[in-house]
Amino acid sequence: MPNAVEPPSESPDRLAAAYELLADGGAAPLAGGTDLMVQLTGELGEPPDRIVDIWRVDELRGIGTAGGTLSIGALTTYTDLRRSPDVARHAPALAGAAATIGAAQIQNRGTIGGNVINASPAGDTLPVLLAMDATMVLGSAGGERRVAAGEFWTGYRATARRPEELLVRVEIPIRDHRQVRFRKIGTRRAQAISKVVVALAWTADGPDAPWSDVRLALGSVAATTVRARGAESVLEGARPTMDTADAAVAALTAVLEPIDDVRSTAEYRRLVAGRVLHRLIREEGSW
Ligand SMILES: Cc1cc2nc3c(=O)[nH]c(=O)nc-3n(C[C@H](O)[C@H](O)[C@H](O)COP(=O)(O)OP(=O)(O)OC[C@H]3O[C@@H](n4cnc5c(N)ncnc54)[C@H](O)[C@@H]3O)c2cc1C
């Protein structure tokens, strides 16, 4: 059994100091540690040589709205997301996703930034962020840059982040009349890694009005979180009828090539993704 390693670590309390410690690109930031501490054993690949503990950097915390954007600091925990009135108002599906992650211990310590950067295809916030057209704000000593969620996850556990960068915050555009629905399928209601995650977003003027700006994002069905553009085109401009739902499910399952792994078979994932999509389209929303 590999030994637990204790890489040298530093614990800055200012963002500028954290950037300085990360500048050579050789250290891994440590946020809540709920993914990284597991990696330190060496059982899941090469552990990092050096760690920079960013937990005390309060500049990476906080949730707020300004200029039509909901801004969520990278160190925001799932418990923070669940308790935030701004998230409840502008991104309730994100609070819903946070509520399905781990159990209370993980929700108190795990952060949205860690979920985004860890880039697991089973990361539960990722489909919601993709469906809501979120932007990732990355920072380093050289300044900040922004990357759209659609370009952020570049492959299996790979992101557009450069080694010297921190994820500073996630920005979600606030849109009138937008609905977002989320569903996670796992083995249990708590402490379950997802078999299928689906997030569906659209705007409409009422329950029977035609949909626009449709975004359908899925997790745990491919190497990374993906959008299902064929099903989106079926839903764009359509009303949420039974026929529309049938056609969208057909478009989704025709192209979906889920992974077969220890948690589930590809066939189960394809079937369930279709059933979940059907329900999300037909579900009564709160208008
Ligand atoms: C028992 C258990 C249950 C879990 N259940 C779920 C679940 O149901 N759903 C789910 O999606 N996940 C689950 N996870 C995984 C994990 O809790 C989440 O991915 C969590 O959000 C990770 O956040 P963290 O703050 O702990 O990240 P850390 O472990 O601190 O970091 C994760 C990765 O992100 C990097 N990183 C962290 N913050 C930043 C930043 N601001 N800038 C740049 N890089 C950064 C780290 O270097 C590391 O590579 C579970 C984990 C455990 C142990």
Side-chain angles (χ1 to χ4, degrees):
M1 171 144 172
N3 291 327
V5 287
E6 282 183 31
S9 70
E10 284 146 305
S11 180
D13 60 3
R14 300 293 311 277
L15 190 54
Y19 285 155
E20 217 169 285
L21 291 165
L22 290 163
D24 66 3
L30 175 79
T34 61
D35 278 317
L36 195 60
M37 294 306 281
V38 180
Q39 290 156 17
L40 288 190
T41 63
E43 288 165 274
L44 300 173
E46 205 51 37
D49 294 336
R50 241 175 76 230
I51 282 175
V52 173
D53 177 3
I54 56 172
W55 190 255
R56 297 194 304 142
V57 181
D58 285 339
E59 291 146 274
L60 296 172
R61 291 202 161 79
I63 300 174
T65 58
T69 298
L70 172 66
S71 179
I72 301 172
L75 283 181
T76 300
T77 65
Y78 299 114
T79 300
D80 297 333
L81 288 174
R82 294 185 69 182
R83 290 182 179 162
S84 160
D86 284 331
V87 174
R89 180 156 178 225
H90 301 295
L94 190 57
T100 71
I101 291 178
Q105 298 93 328
I106 295 294
Q107 290 179 15
N108 283 337
R109 189 76 191 178
T111 64
I112 190 168
N115 207 228
V116 165
I117 300 294
N118 195 52
S120 162
D124 287 317
T125 66
L126 279 46
V128 179
L129 297 176
L130 187 56
M132 295 188 82
D133 287 333
T135 295
M136 311 306 160
V137 182
L138 295 158
S140 67
E144 289 188 351
R145 69 185 179 106
R146 307 157 66 79
V147 182
E151 276 129 48
F152 194 77
W153 297 290
T154 51
Y156 181 69
R157 290 183 181 268
T159 74
R161 169 188 170 255
R162 296 176 191 139
E164 73 279 13
E165 288 178 323
L166 281 175
L167 180 71
V168 177
R169 62 188 176 277
V170 174
E171 293 183 348
I172 299 176
I174 296 171
R175 298 212 178 113
D176 289 341
H177 307 298
R178 175 163 61 187
Q179 295 280 305
V180 188
R181 290 181 186 158
F182 165 87
R183 187 69 41 82
K184 165 177 174 172
I185 304 295
T187 307
R188 300 174 296 270
R189 288 180 76 83
Q191 295 286 29
I193 303 297
S194 49
K195 298 174 180 218
V196 175
V197 193
V198 186
L200 177 64
W202 72 94
T203 54
D205 289 338
D208 298 316
W211 289 10
S212 58
D213 295 322
V214 180
R215 303 276 186 278
L216 174 60
L218 293 101
S220 286
V221 296
T224 187
T225 306
V226 288
R227 268 177 70 182
R229 292 181 192 268
E232 287 178 2
S233 331
V234 170
L235 293 166
E236 191 70 37
R239 293 169 204 277
T241 62
M242 191 64 89
D243 286 349
T244 305
D246 290 345
V249 169
L252 173 68
T253 51
V255 296
L256 205 58
E257 289 184 5
I259 41 175
D260 229 334
D261 68 7
V262 287
R263 283 197 298 279
S264 196
T265 63
E267 192 44 38
Y268 175 88
R269 287 188 158 107
R270 184 179 297 109
L271 193 73
V272 167
R275 294 289 285 271
V276 168
L277 175 61
H278 205 281
R279 285 197 190 168
L280 292 184
I281 295 168
R282 298 284 298 151
E283 211 167 71
E284 292 293 313
S286 49
W287 288 87

